[in-house]
Amino acid sequence: MPEVTRTYEVRTFGCQMNVHDSERMAGLLEQAGYVRAGKDAETADVVVFNTCAVRENADNRLYGNLGQLAPKKAARPGMQIAVGGCLAQKDRDTITRRAPWVDVVFGTHNVGKLPVLLERARVQREAQVEIAESLEAFPSTLPTRRESPYAAWVSVSVGCNNTCTFCIVPALRGKEKDRRPGDVLAEVEALVAEGVLEITLLGQNVNAYGSDMGDRQAFSKLLRACGRIDGLERVRFTSPHPRDFTDDVIEAMAETENVMPQLHMPLQSGSSRVLKAMRRSYRQERYLGIIEKVRAAMPDAAISTDIIVGFPGETEEDFQETLHVVREARFAQAFTFQYSKRPGTPAAEMEGQVPKEVVQERYERLVALQEEISWSENKRQVGRTVEVLVAEGEGRKDDATRRLSGRAPDNRLVHFARPAEPVRPGDMVTVEISYAAPHHLLAEAPPSAVRRTRAGDAWELRNAAPAEPKGVLLGLPTVGAPAPAPAAQPGGGGCSVC
């Protein structure tokens, strides 16, 4: 273990699963005696990259970042750099060959070894590369340093049993492995006891939960069980797969009071021919049928999705089918991606790779259509009264506009006027929506009610603590509802958005 207090920084790329893994890495480092580097720190003593391998430019992005750190490391004896995550699992020894100043390389299955590997590299003065081929311990058994005291990810499974031709994630994360329901619920109850109001159940294919336990209704049962936990006000989940989205899940969502009226369901393509080439195991009719059932059960549900443009062999007719589904589904939000060829995936070797200029033109048409729909759907919210979970860091212009921000039950971002009384992140405010933009809502009048919560108390307690935290804190990377992964990150629909 470190002989003196050393600082650390974890830089995360990719999906929600990576964000959650980074919380584990931070928890492990703090348990080992490291202290998180301040925001103004130029360079931490230990910099950890938690990488994503989904998009084609992932490699360039990593080595660009490593190259920027090389002179800083040379000027600071004792500084260490570690690389983990999906790209580390895939590239292994390549990383230390291309960036010999890296001290530790570890994979998706052995996150728990990070402090040991750092210490071994320090003592032996040579790079440590350790990539486990299978999961050593379920990640939720590891200590966690969460970023927020009131909203948290809770993993229900790791790995994926799908074989999508564009996705390399199953090869890097392994086969799906489910946690026991009792373990999941015990973690949720512990989080609630610490002040958490909202949890997001997380899995590479979350609604396939129960497949290795022989219970096809395990996920709907889990949702209903979460509904019986006192003090848990909001339950979300990401990301489901249309193949496994069954009626009992829709019924559980509609009938469980604290399950929010929000669904993120990846489409990837509206063309049944392209879906077959992707090995997505559902077709356009099946997808739209699920949307119809969800709308019937929860008329006000906000539905978001992921879409890939330019998959190999996609014709203009195929693309028109995608536009048709977008018009029919009327998504509140869509994360759109230009197809990114990924070595090691079947799609990378397919004939009919679509020219870049064609992909770009289709992408722009899709974005324009979805922007129009998002704005139209948001305008329908004007005049409605909603309870917003106050967030920290969601509104980048909040200081300039003297507003606060948070998430409505359907996960829409709401900016609202500051009330006269103090409001803390984690508290709830009741506001009336007065204006809609494509990507946010605005309540120009002050809140009609402010509800102070245990979560706000937890936030206040945490921020009154010393600047250098000790032990493990609870929370989430962004305050309020965990936001869907940014469009530039997941890419290609893989990695927990499949």
Side-chain angles (χ1 to χ4, degrees):
M1 298 303 161
E3 296 174 0
V4 296
T5 300
R6 306 186 71 206
T7 59
Y8 77 89
E9 176 188 0
V10 180
R11 301 184 186 181
T12 308
F13 303 91
C15 67
Q16 300 96 326
M17 193 68 74
N18 269 20
V19 172
H20 194 35
D21 282 349
S22 290
E23 294 181 332
R24 310 269 177 221
M25 295 173 193
L28 285 159
L29 290 171
E30 291 193 7
Q31 187 182 65
Y34 293 84
V35 171
R36 190 176 191 177
K39 292 182 180 180
D40 298 330
E42 181 154 340
T43 308
D45 296 313
V46 172
V47 178
V48 182
F49 291 91
N50 190 7
T51 63
C52 172
V54 172
R55 293 187 68 77
E56 188 174 19
N57 65 358
D59 308 58
N60 294 336
R61 197 171 182 190
L62 171 65
Y63 292 114
N65 277 280
L66 291 175
Q68 291 176 1
L69 281 184
K72 295 180 180 180
K73 186 174 189 292
R76 290 188 57 183
M79 180 182 172
Q80 292 183 295
I81 300 172
V83 178
C86 289
L87 195 61
Q89 187 79 22
K90 182 177 77 75
D91 284 358
R92 306 177 183 230
D93 295 325
T94 304
I95 293 172
T96 53
R97 187 174 70 248
R98 291 185 59 178
W101 55 92
V102 169
D103 299 275
V104 170
V105 179
F106 62 105
T108 60
H109 299 309
N110 58 334
V111 170
K113 292 289 186 67
L114 175 58
V116 172
L117 293 172
L118 285 168
E119 180 66 6
R120 193 185 300 164
R122 187 181 70 86
V123 172
Q124 298 181 5
R125 298 179 180 273
E126 63 180 12
Q128 302 295 309
V129 179
E130 188 168 311
I131 307 291
E133 296 298 333
S134 59
L135 195 67
E136 295 181 345
F138 200 91
S140 293
T141 63
L142 300 174
T144 304
R145 202 281 183 196
R146 302 182 189 262
E147 295 297 326
S148 144
Y150 53 83
W153 308 105
V154 175
S155 289
V156 303
S157 62
V158 293
C160 181
N161 292 339
N162 294 318
T163 57
C164 301
T165 54
F166 56 77
C167 186
I168 198 170
V169 171
L172 305 178
R173 291 275 183 179
K175 292 293 185 181
E176 183 178 320
K177 182 176 177 58
D178 295 334
R179 292 177 73 188
R180 308 305 299 180
D183 294 339
V184 175
L185 294 171
E187 182 178 357
V188 173
E189 289 171 348
L191 288 165
V192 171
E194 293 288 340
V196 169
L197 292 182
E198 174 178 301
I199 60 103
T200 298
L201 302 174
L202 181 64
Q204 227 76 48
N205 181 7
V206 69
N207 60 320
Y209 177 73
S211 61
D212 70 353
M213 296 185 291
D215 185 354
R216 290 183 58 82
Q217 295 192 344
F219 188 64
S220 62
K221 292 175 182 176
L222 186 63
L223 290 177
R224 292 183 186 276
C226 286
R228 295 190 288 271
I229 297 176
D230 290 338
L232 180 59
E233 297 194 22
R234 294 185 172 190
V235 177
R236 306 185 192 276
F237 58 89
T238 196
S239 283
H241 192 295
R243 181 194 65 187
D244 301 301
F245 206 88
T246 49
D247 290 349
D248 61 294
V249 173
I250 298 174
E251 292 167 5
M253 291 178 67
E255 296 170 6
T256 308
E257 186 175 356
N258 63 359
V259 175
M260 294 294 95
Q262 176 241 333
L263 174 66
H264 182 77
M265 178 120 77
L267 168 66
Q268 307 305 9
S269 174
S271 164
S272 293
R273 191 187 70 81
V274 172
L275 288 170
K276 182 178 180 181
M278 289 178 168
R279 291 188 198 152
R280 288 294 288 172
S281 66
Y282 58 88
R283 301 297 176 258
Q284 180 190 113
E285 183 179 3
R286 160 73 173 156
Y287 187 93
L288 286 175
I290 294 171
I291 299 298
E292 184 178 356
K293 288 180 179 179
V294 171
R295 298 260 192 237
M298 295 170 288
D300 294 328
I303 301 174
S304 57
T305 195
D306 299 321
I307 301 173
I308 302 172
V309 178
F311 186 80
E314 181 190 76
T315 64
E316 176 61 24
E317 183 180 3
D318 292 320
F319 179 66
Q320 288 296 329
E321 290 294 305
T322 294
L323 296 182
H324 168 71
V325 173
V326 170
R327 293 187 186 100
E328 289 293 311
R330 298 197 64 80
F331 299 114
Q333 188 176 24
F335 297 93
T336 52
F337 310 95
Q338 298 184 34
Y339 170 72
S340 178
K341 183 189 292 188
R342 205 68 190 103
T345 63
E349 306 301 323
M350 287 182 176
E351 296 181 355
Q353 301 287 328
V354 183
K356 173 66 177 174
E357 61 272 16
V358 175
V359 177
Q360 180 68 34
E361 190 272 338
R362 290 176 185 168
Y363 175 80
E364 290 172 1
R365 275 190 281 158
L366 173 61
V367 169
L369 174 61
Q370 181 56 51
E371 192 91 347
E372 176 186 325
I373 292 172
S374 294
W375 198 358
S376 176
E377 289 299 301
N378 275 358
K379 287 176 181 177
R380 294 176 57 207
Q381 309 304 311
V382 173
R384 292 187 178 181
T385 298
V386 297
E387 189 172 50
V388 174
L389 175 58
V390 182
E392 182 178 52
E394 289 267 29
R396 288 174 291 180
K397 298 180 181 179
D398 281 354
D399 287 339
T401 59
R402 293 204 45 79
R403 293 173 181 150
L404 297 175
S405 300
R407 295 281 171 172
D410 63 9
N411 207 35
R412 283 183 165 93
L413 177 61
V414 180
H415 304 302
F416 59 92
R418 293 176 185 262
E421 60 189 289
V423 177
R424 308 160 300 179
D427 287 338
M428 294 283 196
V429 298
T430 301
V431 300
E432 181 179 327
I433 304 303
S434 58
Y435 174 81
H439 304 294
H440 70 267
L441 302 172
L442 177 62
E444 295 169 294
S448 59
V450 174
R451 178 160 64 91
R452 294 174 70 85
T453 67
R454 295 179 302 103
D457 294 342
W459 181 90
E460 192 168 31
L461 179 63
R462 172 180 174 174
N463 282 269
E468 296 185 354
K470 297 182 179 179
V472 177
L473 303 176
L474 296 175
L476 212 186
T478 56
V479 178
Q489 296 293 339
C495 206
S496 97
V497 288
C498 58

